[in-house]
Amino acid sequence: MSIDLTDDNLIPDLSNASSSVPCPIPAQSSSTQVTYTSTSIKRGLRHDKSHYKILSNPSKRATASCWAKFSLPAVRISDEKEAKFSIIKGFASCNSCFETYFYNDSSTTNLNSHRCPMEHQQGQLTFKSSENPLRSTIGAKLLKKKKEDIKKLCANWVACSMRPFSIVTDPGFKQILQECLTIGRDLRSEGELAIDDLLPSDRTVRNDVDRAAQHERNLLKIKLVAAADDYRLSISPDIWSDKYRNISYLGATAHFVDDNGIYHYFDLFCSEFKSKNKTAVNVLKMLEAQLAVFGLKELMDKITFVTDRGANFIKALMAFRVLLCVAHRLNNVLKKTFYQEISKKKTIVSPGKILTTSTSVCRTEITPTKTEMTTITTRTFAQASPEGNEEDIDDKNDIDTEESSDDDNDDDDDVVDYTSTTIANLPPPAKAILDMIKDCKSLVKYVKKANLNRELQLEREKQNINNSINGEDPPSTTNNSKPQECRVHSFPCSQRSPPEAAAAEDQLQYGRKTNCFPRSVSNFSCLLLEWKNVLKEVQVGNSPSLHCVLPCITYLREQMINGEKKERGGMKFFYKRAIQLLDNMFKLEDDHIRASFLHPNYKQLRGATKSQIKSCHAYCRGLVLPDTTGDDPVISEKDICEPPSKKSKFMLQLMDKKETVKEPGMSEIDRYNALTVEEEYTNPLTFWQQQHIQLAYPTLYRLAKRTFAVPCSSAAVERQFSAAGQIVTQRRSNLDPSTVNNLIFLRSIENSKRQI
């Protein structure tokens, strides 16, 4: 029996569903106000889709299960080409049948009791009243009463045990309750069942965690050994200390690609570092002991280690293949650009180096000290890069220089060494930028100490409510126009402000007079935004990221050059300084170039030098066996499978343009270069998982599995430490380190299973 949803009389409204609620929403004209009812909204959603639509609930409090089926109705408020819709408050509509109910912010009873006829028509409702007649009569009332009891118990539990409200939506908690319901149904004829008959003790649970972790290690060991034996395994180690007992942990994450071209990553271990000194010898000794648990100690020469520039890790892993973290280096470049590095140790400079100084920042003469510094910062393999020493050299070496003019038409930009300019020798506009950064920091500190965060939040919420009532769009936090200036200039002042408040008020008064404070912050934010986009991409942990380095660095360098051309004054100086520091401190490795080449959308290697491109192609050709498939036809675009629908908007703009297919009958590398790829792949392994691609490019497929198993940053192990910080809390500070290790490992295994 089919159900016609075009007739509004088929679906009865609940008692309060048809109530009329005055809701002033500007429809076609701002001077008219319309009063909506559930019936009129339902009719509009069904028959007038050009003026009515449903929008998902934007509230963070909308966590009830009913919001998977319900949304908020909205009416069109503009006749422009890009129509704007405003949510009709006080109502909620079904996504399938558009049945509309009166809804207030505290009750979802009507929404939970809704039985959608569309789901019934599609066979999605498994309940039938004929099978269980109590469910529709007495059972429904009893279920409602029991639900109220459960709600009260949950509220008391959250309050008394100080648990988060979101614990009731935790998948594990729901799974336990569902199993209890199943047991109760299966044993209902066996008599009364107490909860103590089911729940284990805390010691039993801890022992089972240890047992489950050991079992999963044995299973993972087989996969890791197979991946390492084929050079498809990378490990990111680091050291972390908890803030309650100050116990040091050596943590590591493993990344590998299996035989089917699927990317995996796990928190391998987070074990107590018992040695007092974190020297290279002790680090290597413990790392070998932990890898021996997984049978990887003898295969360390086939593993790629991704780490930061810590001297102990560099020295400990100097005999193995090491790739340095890109995210750490870019962060160092950005901090050094604005003189934000903090010197922890004083460097003793030899007298011979102190006597040699340069006479002007505009001259091409470079001191031996600076030459040595440049040599150190460009090393990335098996050599420690003393970042702290670099910073000390720049901060302590106060060179007497002539004040460089900040003219826009500098003819000697190619010979000016902006990286060697000290704070004492900065031009006045550049010093003003640093002062602005300092002012912003003191302003934030003032807000925190004066307890004004909540006042600002309430003021912002009030403004958003007024805008929604008036049908205006909420102010954007990224808009660099007058709304930001108003927020800065109308900053409240407290009578009980700390000593920093007076300085902050003086800074604001100066900004009001010169009208340059908000503008400088805006320009500074634009520069930081480019770095934020790049750092976000290179720190991806759940998919390959090595291919992102070349396009991201190329993009970042281009943005810095464009900013240097557009900006004036102090920001121009810092754009130039960022460009030179990026060139001096960051080096593209062969792995970065090869990873971009093996990504079908970046294989043109835009941004790489001719020698780098030639070296990459030569390396790949050296791996290719004699070609016996030269006469195979070039793969057409319709043979390529569709990639995942979710794409990264930032990386899409960096992909290669469409290319033409060359003649067939070429080698494997040439045929891959000539391949036209219409699809846009965010995960390059999706391209290589296609069987016909593997048959056409067998050597490149094997190289791709090895290359994309290596992440470009060690961000994954930092995330492991964040999870460990949530495990070792003030309430759980007595956890044994071995238990912490098992919890971290088992959590990673379970998360991986859920993703699959």
Side-chain angles (χ1 to χ4, degrees), residues 457-557:
Q457 182 181 4
L458 294 175
E459 185 67 25
R460 191 181 304 112
E461 292 178 356
K462 181 179 179 181
Q463 183 179 1
N464 292 339
I465 293 175
N466 294 334
N467 291 338
S468 61
I469 293 177
N470 298 329
E472 300 176 0
D473 294 333
S476 174
T477 56
T478 59
N479 189 10
N480 299 324
S481 59
K482 292 184 179 180
Q484 283 189 352
E485 296 182 12
C486 295
R487 287 197 295 271
V488 174
H489 289 169
S490 60
F491 191 86
C493 182
S494 175
Q495 297 295 333
R496 49 185 180 86
S497 59
E500 290 81 1
E505 183 64 23
D506 293 341
Q507 294 154 9
L508 292 177
Q509 293 291 347
Y510 174 78
R512 294 189 186 100
K513 294 178 181 179
T514 61
N515 198 27
C516 67
F517 188 78
R519 185 169 59 253
S520 299
V521 174
S522 174
N523 296 338
F524 179 68
S525 300
C526 292
L527 185 147
L528 293 183
L529 182 61
E530 307 298 344
W531 290 81
K532 177 184 176 181
N533 293 334
V534 170
L535 286 171
K536 183 179 179 180
E537 293 297 331
V538 300
Q539 294 184 83
V540 172
N542 57 357
S543 62
S545 59
L546 196 62
H547 64 278
C548 298
V549 179
L550 175 61
C552 283
I553 294 300
T554 302
Y555 168 82
L556 187 59
R557 185 178 287 108

Side-chain angles (χ1 to χ4, degrees), residues 315-328:
K315 186 176 181 180
L317 300 172
M318 63 185 306
F320 309 103
R321 188 172 183 270
V322 178
L323 192 65
L324 299 181
C325 177
V326 173
H328 279 85

